[in-house]
Amino acid sequence: MAGVSVPLMGLLIICVLAAMADAEYMKYKDPKKSLNTRINDLMSRMTLEEKIGQMVQIERKVASPDVVKNYFIGSILSGGGSVPAPRASAETWVNMVNELQKGCLSTRLGIPMIYGIDAVHGHNNVYKATIFPHNVGLGVTRDPDLVKRIGAATALEVRATGIPYAFAPCIAVCRDPRWGRCYESYSEDHKIVQAMTEIIPGLQGDIPPGSRKGVPFVAGSKKVAGCAKHYLGDGGTNKGINENNTLINKNELFSIHMPAYYNSIIKGVATIMVSYSSWNGVKMHANREFVTSYLKDTLHFRGFVISDWEGIDRITSPPHANYSYSVQAGVSAGIDMVMVPNNYKEFIDDLTFQVKNNVIPMSRIDDAVRRILRVKFVMGLFENPLADTSLVNELGSKEHRELAREAVRKSLVLLKNGKSADKPLLPLSKKAPKILVTGIHADNLGYQCGGWTIEWQGVSGNDVTSGTTILKAIQSTVDPTTQVVYSEKPDAAFVKSNKFSYAIVVVGEPPYAETFGDSLNLTIPEPGPSTINNVCGEVKCVVVVVSGRPVVIQPYLASMDALVAAWLPGSEGQGIADVLFGDYGFTGKLARTWFKTVNQLPMNVGDSHYDPLFPFGFGLTTKPTKN
């Protein structure tokens, strides 16, 4: 056989190498290509199995590198209190997230997963993170810039642990304080909630000028994807019962509960979470009219829609009673990513069967996957899928704690100051000879942080995380010569015999979250009322109420000299002492109506039967005292 000439052989080798290079060149991996080019290229390469995997979000506890690789899992989450180890360091979190990510990157197409976590008042699952006031307090500030800065600080702390996605903000408009999630709402007034959507550019970054409306935006590795929740009407349920039915007409639903979603979408929010609640009997997780026709088609939202925890299971009553139906109803409604979070095999099998049998059209799957990939590309996950430890020092940083302390100061509302206007009790004297601090909330960091802190339902005690209790803050603020006596539950005789200059009584609600916080009576539990009566009957007192909402206070009001609503202030109790003792003035104004009795509820500003104890917008002010 005649030999091939050297030039011809060279040409053949060049052609083969070129073909190989062309085969390996994947447009979706090229950051220079347009967003749609990358999405289309990747979609064209994906099997049905790979697409359905992208739609699945599973709990960390059931995840492993093998599971995410074998099932092409698109997302993992930490539910409330789900951590890699008790008191885990930022480095431990980063290593866990990266190990799981490596499993995803080892698949045929190497599509990175997105890890999500509830960071609803700071990075609240994580030990030593800064815990900011809950939204009920932030609404009082009416300060969108403050909330934006809190969003930016939260993003840094979440990224410090290797996580790029936060299930925040909650933009519910709580219309009934009996709801156990009312503290997650900024206000009963949608205008305040709309203003507070400024937390979204804090979390995600400011969208570039001229950006297309509705397209998600995340500005790099120091920002996180946000999640506006819970769509729609979660704060308007009957009697404030969590996950219940919102019984209002469409006009009211759109004028009260929808407006903040417009702002969120315009600001480039990456994801929207669907509410467990129903509207006039129709479960939101199965409401195609609102999820697809309105949110996606009318408002042109281009991020992805995510279910709540086992949200599609709860389409039926009891939950999971007809899972195949729930999968069909939820996915057909327009939910793109399903928070399974444990039974992922069942979900994958059900959805695969329904697509193969034309129960759910392939176009619906493609819409979901396209949206999920869009968010992942926009976030830069394909270029930087693995986290590093460069931000670990952001967790609980001094700067963030100072910001939280500022937020506490601005979120306090002074409801009463002196038994007569010309004899105010506040600001308190730092040089009083002997003062009493009392109440079970005075020296309990867990109580002042509330639910969604370290554990889902919150915790009691001072070894919870880092922070300053209200008692410690008072002790560090008063003059060294002042004797501070702390008695958690004193009787009247003890108070009377000690000749205190004044007392600071700190009482309120224990921590709770979601349904566990639903309350039809809204009373402060014992020993709160007894402590108020025992102390305020014997000495001048200021009562500081630590609660997730207005509570029944009218029966005790006459005996108090001063009353402060402190809401759920978080880890920085020093912010309360700053204002009680006059280093700063009281500036907060109620963003919720304070009722007289629960029989008035629901009662919101503008109602015909409006007869509050303290009206919406009320708040006495004080001037800082000069040292």
Side-chain angles (χ1 to χ4, degrees), residues 394-411:
E394 296 287 353
L395 193 72
S397 73
K398 188 171 182 294
E399 187 183 3
H400 295 167
R401 293 196 177 279
E402 282 301 319
L403 176 61
R405 182 173 166 182
E406 176 191 345
V408 174
R409 292 195 293 261
K410 291 180 174 177
S411 64

Side-chain angles (χ1 to χ4, degrees), residues 458-537:
V459 276
S460 175
N462 290 338
D463 57 351
V464 179
T465 187
S466 299
T468 305
T469 68
I470 297 166
L471 172 65
K472 294 288 185 291
I474 292 166
Q475 289 169 332
S476 69
T477 303
V478 295
D479 193 82
T481 61
T482 298
Q483 185 186 353
V484 179
V485 176
Y486 174 58
S487 175
E488 198 173 80
K489 294 177 275 190
D491 59 27
F494 171 83
V495 180
K496 194 170 188 175
S497 63
N498 264 283
K499 294 185 177 165
F500 295 111
S501 304
Y502 57 79
I504 301 171
V505 182
V506 192
V507 294
E509 297 184 300
Y512 54 81
E514 300 191 42
T515 305
F516 294 91
D518 286 357
S519 169
L520 292 177
N521 59 37
L522 292 179
T523 50
I524 297 172
E526 285 291 351
S530 299
T531 306
I532 294 171
N533 290 331
N534 290 345
V535 176
C536 294

Side-chain angles (χ1 to χ4, degrees), residues 90-99 159-162 387-389 392:
E91 289 88 349
T92 300
W93 279 93
V94 169
N95 292 336
M96 174 197 69
V97 174
N98 281 347
E99 279 308 300
R159 282 285 194 171
T161 56
D388 59 38
T389 55
V392 294

Side-chain angles (χ1 to χ4, degrees), residues 150-360:
I150 289 171
T154 301
L156 284 170
E157 297 207 12
V158 172
R159 282 285 194 171
T161 56
I163 296 172
Y165 179 23
F167 305 129
C170 176
I171 53 171
V173 183
C174 173
R175 303 290 284 177
D176 193 326
R178 292 175 291 187
W179 185 37
R181 303 194 81 150
C182 201
Y183 64 75
E184 297 184 56
S185 166
Y186 294 108
S187 179
E188 70 193 43
D189 177 14
H190 69 82
K191 293 190 190 74
I192 290 178
V193 180
Q194 285 180 276
M196 293 305 172
T197 59
E198 199 58 17
I199 193 170
I200 291 167
L203 291 164
Q204 300 191 157
D206 289 299
I207 57 169
S211 296
R212 275 185 64 202
K213 296 284 185 282
V215 177
F217 176 75
V218 183
S221 60
K222 291 184 178 178
K223 296 294 182 182
V224 295
C227 179
K229 64 185 190 182
H230 309 85
Y231 185 84
L232 177 70
D234 51 344
T237 58
N238 189 33
K239 293 183 181 175
I241 297 168
N242 192 43
E243 304 183 22
N244 202 12
N245 198 5
T246 300
L247 298 163
I248 52 176
N249 64 42
K250 195 170 185 177
N251 186 41
E252 286 178 294
L253 183 74
F254 273 55
S255 62
I256 295 169
H257 299 281
M258 185 68 87
Y261 286 95
Y262 304 145
N263 299 75
S264 301
I265 291 166
I266 287 166
K267 289 172 183 178
V269 75
T271 73
I272 290 175
M273 186 183 290
V274 183
S275 176
Y276 288 130
S277 57
S278 305
W279 175 62
N280 294 339
V282 180
K283 290 274 188 184
M284 274 295 160
H285 273 75
N287 194 321
R288 191 176 191 281
E289 179 196 353
F290 285 160
V291 177
T292 294
S293 300
Y294 195 73
L295 187 60
K296 293 181 175 182
D297 297 345
T298 304
L299 297 185
H300 303 296
F301 173 62
R302 292 287 175 262
F304 67 77
V305 176
I306 186 168
S307 83
D308 207 333
W309 178 280
E310 293 180 348
I312 64 165
D313 302 52
R314 299 189 206 186
I315 288 172
T316 58
S317 184
H320 209 84
N322 182 346
Y323 195 61
S324 293
Y325 166 74
S326 292
V327 170
Q328 180 192 345
V331 174
S332 297
I335 295 170
D336 304 310
M337 184 177 281
V338 178
M339 198 183 288
V340 181
N342 299 308
N343 300 326
Y344 56 91
K345 292 178 189 174
E346 181 186 18
F347 173 77
I348 289 169
D349 289 346
D350 255 323
L351 185 54
T352 303
F353 176 85
Q354 293 190 33
V355 176
K356 285 183 174 174
N357 288 276
N358 299 317
V359 178
I360 293 175

Side-chain angles (χ1 to χ4, degrees), residues 73-129:
I73 298 297
S75 185
I76 302 169
L77 85 149
S78 277
S82 175
V83 298
R87 302 191 172 198
S89 67
E91 289 88 349
T92 300
W93 279 93
V94 169
N95 292 336
M96 174 197 69
V97 174
N98 281 347
E99 279 308 300
L100 295 167
Q101 187 68 282
K102 286 170 187 171
C104 294
L105 299 177
S106 69
T107 57
R108 181 177 73 92
L109 295 169
I111 303 172
M113 64 88 181
I114 180 173
Y115 198 106
I117 196 164
D118 284 282
V120 297
H121 61 141
H123 198 9
N124 49 259
N125 278 286
V126 176
Y127 184 64
K128 288 191 172 177

Side-chain angles (χ1 to χ4, degrees), residues 1-5:
M1 190 171 75
V4 179
S5 69

